[in-house]
Amino acid sequence: MKIGIEKISFHIPRQYLELSRLAEQHGTDVQKFRRGIGQERMSFPLHDEDVVTLAAEAALPIIKEHGPDGIDSVLFATETSIDQSKSAGIYVHNLLGLNTQCRNVELKQACYGATAAVQMACGYVARRPDRKVLVIASDVSRYDLGGAAEATQGCGAVAMLISANPSIMQIDIMAGLYSEDIMDFWRPNYRITPLVDGKYSALKYLQSLSHTWQDYQSNEGRAFQDFAQFCYHLPFSRMGKKAHMYLASINDQPVNKEKFMPGLVYNRVIGNCYSAALYLSLISALENSEEDLSGKPVALFSYGSGAVAEFFSGVVQPGYKAHMVTERHKRLITDREALSYERYLELWHAPNPQNGEEIVNKVETQGAFRLAKISDHKRYYETIRS
Ligand code: HMG
């Protein structure tokens, strides 16, 4: 039985900051951002947008086309959760009008959470092939202003329907795993921004790639040369390039740009969307590769600081292009507005009420869903367009 991705779709806000603006403010050579880390722009949410609205927008085209029937589980991966107890997926479940006979749960392990969700969904569908699981990864990456990591901020959500009818990609059973208790990036409950040891985190990312690759190989994984595309977790696009060069060198193979560059295209103009980043890279590879990937294997490397990593793979299905919402995705990227640096600062300081005071957001988003207000410690979402 084939199990994997039946539908996949992403969403980002309409606003972005051009990194040249940040370079001006930091007195940094913009080439450090463009060439050094491989980033041009970062997506940024308005105050009436958050991980819930991004997630609901990402899943909307899937639910519009597929309807809610058969979906009995929502697995919501995020590391920028809006509540310590209630799953963000429950708000999304309501906004999308999913059936009440449905389970909802939130998963967290830094940027790795969505991969755990995908594997759990595949396992569940193997047991109940008549059921489908909506996996959503949604994050807003916000680092300290003025720090080295600020240029890698971004945000976005990816929604995937996992089923026994994987019209886009069948997920292979073999995988390579690696976990290690390290402090490369973490966010204590009382902080709104993470603490990060940037250089160490990049080193651990590469070491984890090597460990997971070895485990994947020992579990009868595919050979390096068999893959048509490689998709990596992308904190910034140059990390994907470094990862690919490293993996090629471990395998004594030449580097073929065509096999990893298509996966970097979207990240370069969006930034780090943490748990969604690997899956944004997968969409980017499927939509930007010049080769028809039908029947071809794709490699996926997931890394979440702290750290958990997984190397796994899938086979792109014939006719996959007809199931992608490529035009919608391309429009989301091209039809955006640049933020001034001052407006970016205003948005960075999103209201964060601590004592039940009421925050009423102006209607700013052009999306279907919005965070209308936070009042008496409760978040109120609304649908403003269908
Ligand atoms: P930095 O230390 O300021 O940058 O920030 P740098 O000095 O290392 O420069 C970066 C690159 O730009 C270097 O190239 C420079 O040579 C080059 P490299 O040595 O890497 O080849 N450079 C230039 N190139 C052209 N023209 C110039 C120029 N100047 C310099 N004028 C750092 C970089 C990654 C540390 C920072 O962005 C950071 O802390 N980011 C956050 C952490 C991160 O993204 N880590 C990645 C791995 S961990 C991960 O992916 C997990 C994560 O997503 C979280 C999660 O799991 O939840 C982060």
Side-chain angles (χ1 to χ4, degrees):
M1 186 187 8
K2 285 184 180 177
I3 297 172
I5 303 172
E6 179 177 334
K7 299 266 174 234
I8 189 165
S9 151
F10 78 79
H11 188 78
I12 49 169
R14 256 179 85 90
Q15 310 69 233
Y16 68 88
L17 182 71
E18 194 73 58
L19 289 189
S20 52
R21 296 266 164 282
L22 196 65
E24 272 163 33
Q25 292 297 323
H26 284 197
T28 303
D29 178 357
V30 69
Q31 293 310 329
K32 176 175 178 184
F33 297 156
R34 291 195 179 138
R35 297 166 61 107
I37 59 168
Q39 293 305 102
E40 297 275 343
R41 295 174 172 178
M42 65 167 81
S43 276
F44 225 79
L46 297 163
H47 288 167
D48 63 349
E49 298 171 327
D50 68 1
V51 290
V52 168
T53 64
L54 291 173
E57 302 278 359
L60 190 60
I62 298 177
I63 301 304
K64 270 189 178 169
E65 193 192 324
H66 179 277
D69 290 349
I71 301 172
D72 76 353
S73 311
V74 177
L75 305 185
F76 193 109
T78 185
E79 60 170 298
T80 49
S81 186
I82 41 120
D83 195 287
Q84 292 286 24
S85 173
K86 179 170 172 169
S87 166
I90 301 183
Y91 296 105
V92 175
H93 176 272
N94 178 40
L95 290 171
L96 295 175
L98 299 183
N99 296 329
T100 50
Q101 293 77 17
C102 183
R103 55 174 76 80
N104 264 288
V105 72
E106 190 169 299
L107 292 94
K108 175 187 67 186
Q109 175 25 58
C111 300
Y112 170 76
T115 300
V118 165
Q119 293 291 13
M120 287 173 185
C122 289
Y124 174 64
V125 172
R127 204 169 131 105
R128 292 297 310 260
D130 57 324
R131 300 295 169 93
K132 304 191 182 201
V133 180
L134 183 62
V135 170
I136 311 181
S138 183
D139 269 305
V140 175
S141 157
R142 202 164 290 171
Y143 288 99
D144 285 344
L145 293 172
E150 187 183 356
T152 70
Q153 293 174 131
C155 69
V158 172
M160 291 172 269
L161 194 60
I162 304 293
S163 80
N165 175 29
S167 28
I168 293 176
M169 193 171 91
Q170 175 204 334
I171 309 257
D172 290 336
I173 290 176
M174 56 272 202
L177 301 170
Y178 185 71
S179 281
E180 187 184 356
D181 182 1
I182 56 168
M183 300 303 276
D184 60 332
F185 168 110
W186 68 105
R187 185 165 66 87
N189 286 345
Y190 48 82
R191 284 184 60 99
I192 58 160
T193 53
L195 297 154
V196 58
D197 188 340
K199 296 259 176 356
Y200 178 60
S201 71
L203 174 72
K204 294 314 282 186
Y205 174 115
L206 291 179
Q207 287 177 352
S208 303
L209 172 60
S210 166
H211 289 301
T212 55
W213 173 253
Q214 274 150 27
D215 192 40
Y216 176 76
Q217 289 302 302
S218 67
N219 289 321
E220 296 174 1
R222 297 172 190 275
F224 181 87
Q225 307 85 282
D226 294 347
F227 290 113
Q229 285 294 311
F230 290 81
C231 300
Y232 297 93
H233 164 59
L234 295 177
F236 46 89
S237 75
R238 180 110 190 283
M239 193 72 228
K241 185 176 177 186
K242 285 188 180 182
H244 192 70
M245 289 170 74
Y246 184 59
L247 194 60
S249 76
I250 292 174
N251 285 283
D252 237 348
Q253 291 294 318
V255 172
N256 178 350
K257 281 183 167 186
E258 292 311 311
K259 291 198 172 193
F260 73 94
M261 295 284 278
L264 309 185
V265 175
Y266 291 162
N267 171 269
R268 193 176 170 88
V269 292
I270 290 174
N272 194 354
C273 10
Y274 291 160
S275 62
L278 169 64
Y279 298 94
L280 183 69
S281 167
L282 172 62
I283 298 176
S284 185
L286 295 172
E287 295 184 342
N288 293 297
S289 168
E290 285 183 6
E291 188 186 357
D292 180 358
L293 297 172
S294 299
K296 307 261 169 75
V298 170
L300 296 125
F301 174 64
S302 182
Y303 178 80
S305 285
V308 178
E310 180 160 344
F311 195 101
F312 63 114
S313 50
V315 178
V316 179
Q317 297 300 292
Y320 68 101
K321 284 189 182 165
H323 298 279
M324 302 292 300
V325 285
T326 306
E327 252 181 60
R328 177 186 163 99
H329 290 156
K330 301 254 173 189
R331 261 201 324 273
L332 282 171
I333 289 174
T334 52
D335 296 0
R336 289 191 291 173
E337 286 158 16
L339 293 168
S340 67
Y341 181 72
E342 292 66 33
R343 178 73 174 128
Y344 154 72
L345 279 188
E346 237 174 76
L347 292 176
W348 193 97
H349 292 283
N352 184 20
Q354 302 289 310
N355 298 311
E357 64 269 34
E358 184 163 272
I359 304 288
V360 178
N361 288 320
K362 277 193 287 185
V363 180
E364 292 190 291
T365 184
Q366 301 206 13
F369 309 109
R370 62 184 296 274
L371 172 63
K373 65 174 181 176
I374 305 174
S375 176
D376 194 20
H377 303 284
K378 294 174 192 157
R379 298 173 87 84
Y380 293 84
Y381 293 93
E382 62 183 11
T383 303
I384 51 169
R385 290 176 193 90
S386 57

